[in-house]
């Protein structure tokens, strides 16, 4: 019976945890993982954005990339992301924003390290800098050439109007609801 459970455990983080504790009597410190981190690390690569200029434009097969935007006002991240099809894989480029208050909060050591490493943009004060985020959306759209900008309208009404003036017919509203 043990060998039957080993197969699924190789490919599923939640099955792995159950297999280790229930079948092998090996106790793990954490519950079920959301991601297979070994698989995630195998896919890591150091990519240069300059190598992907225009890569989001639709290819002959009709597949194209997409730039997406999700905004928060303060105690969360705002993210600008562009996802590009590359053969049978997807490549993503992300710009993550957090407020200074969030990054400097007690216990946020990882956020400070990410900021210091250039992996997260800090918005001064307690609120997100929507002008800086809008400029980042424009950089993604212009550089990668994605035909669409997907956005959640929560907090983004003014930014969507601004972007629509420059990129008519590019904005796609995607509401963050159970239906979508």
């Amino acid at each position: 019976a043990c060998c039957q459970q080993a197969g699924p455990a190789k490919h599923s983080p939640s099955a792995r945890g159950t297999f280790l504790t229930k079948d092998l009597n090996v106790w793990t410190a954490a519950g079920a993982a959301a991601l297979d981190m070994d698989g995630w690390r195998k896919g890591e690569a150091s990519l240069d954005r300059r190598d992907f200029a225009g890569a989001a434009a639709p290819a002959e097969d009709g597949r194209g990339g997409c730039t997406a935007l999700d905004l928060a006002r303060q105690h969360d991240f705002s993210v600008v992301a562009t996802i590009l099809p590359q053969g049978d894989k997807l490549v993503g480029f992300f710009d993550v924003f957090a407020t200074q208050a969030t990054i400097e909060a007690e216990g946020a050591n990882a956020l400070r390290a990410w900021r210091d490493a250039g992996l997260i943009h800090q918005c001064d004060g307690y609120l997100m800098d929507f002008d800086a985020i809008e400029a980042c959306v424009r950089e993604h759209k212009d550089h990668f050439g994605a035909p669409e900008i997907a956005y959640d309208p929560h907090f983004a009404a003014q930014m969507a109007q601004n972007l629509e003036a420059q990129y008519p017919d590019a904005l796609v509203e995607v509401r963050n609801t159970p239906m979508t």
Side-chain angles (χ1 to χ4, degrees):
C2 184
C3 293
Q4 291 174 337
Q5 283 81 22
K10 282 183 173 181
H11 306 291
S12 167
S14 60
R16 184 176 303 121
T18 301
F19 174 70
L20 287 171
T21 56
K22 304 292 184 193
D23 296 305
L24 299 181
N25 200 27
V26 175
W27 292 96
T28 59
L35 296 173
D36 175 358
M37 293 311 294
D38 291 333
W40 180 270
R41 286 184 190 94
K42 286 179 187 174
E44 285 181 354
S46 179
L47 302 174
D48 190 329
R49 291 177 186 222
R50 293 173 292 196
D51 296 336
F52 291 86
E60 289 178 17
D61 64 3
R63 294 184 337 153
C66 180
T67 295
L69 164 68
D70 187 29
L71 294 178
R73 284 194 43 222
Q74 52 191 120
H75 302 292
D76 197 356
F77 299 114
S78 287
V79 179
V80 177
T82 297
I83 306 299
L84 312 168
Q86 296 292 301
D88 64 343
K89 295 182 171 76
L90 294 174
V91 175
F93 292 95
F94 304 87
D95 280 281
V96 179
F97 295 80
T99 65
Q100 179 180 1
T102 299
I103 293 172
E104 297 297 333
E106 186 176 334
N109 298 341
L111 294 181
R112 287 188 287 282
W114 293 344
R115 177 205 53 207
D116 296 346
L119 300 173
I120 190 170
H121 303 279
Q122 177 177 299
C123 299
D124 293 337
Y126 291 90
L127 296 174
M128 290 289 177
D129 182 348
F130 285 174
D131 291 335
I133 297 169
E134 183 177 326
C136 183
V137 172
R138 292 176 193 281
E139 288 173 17
H140 274 245
K141 173 74 171 119
D142 294 342
H143 178 76
F144 295 112
E148 297 178 335
I149 301 171
Y151 72 99
D152 178 350
H154 195 61
F155 301 129
Q158 183 62 53
M159 190 179 299
Q161 280 186 331
N162 296 346
L163 293 167
E164 182 71 31
Q166 184 174 353
Y167 308 108
D169 303 320
L171 272 74
V172 177
E173 185 177 293
V174 180
R175 292 187 174 275
N176 189 8
T177 68
M179 295 299 293
T180 55

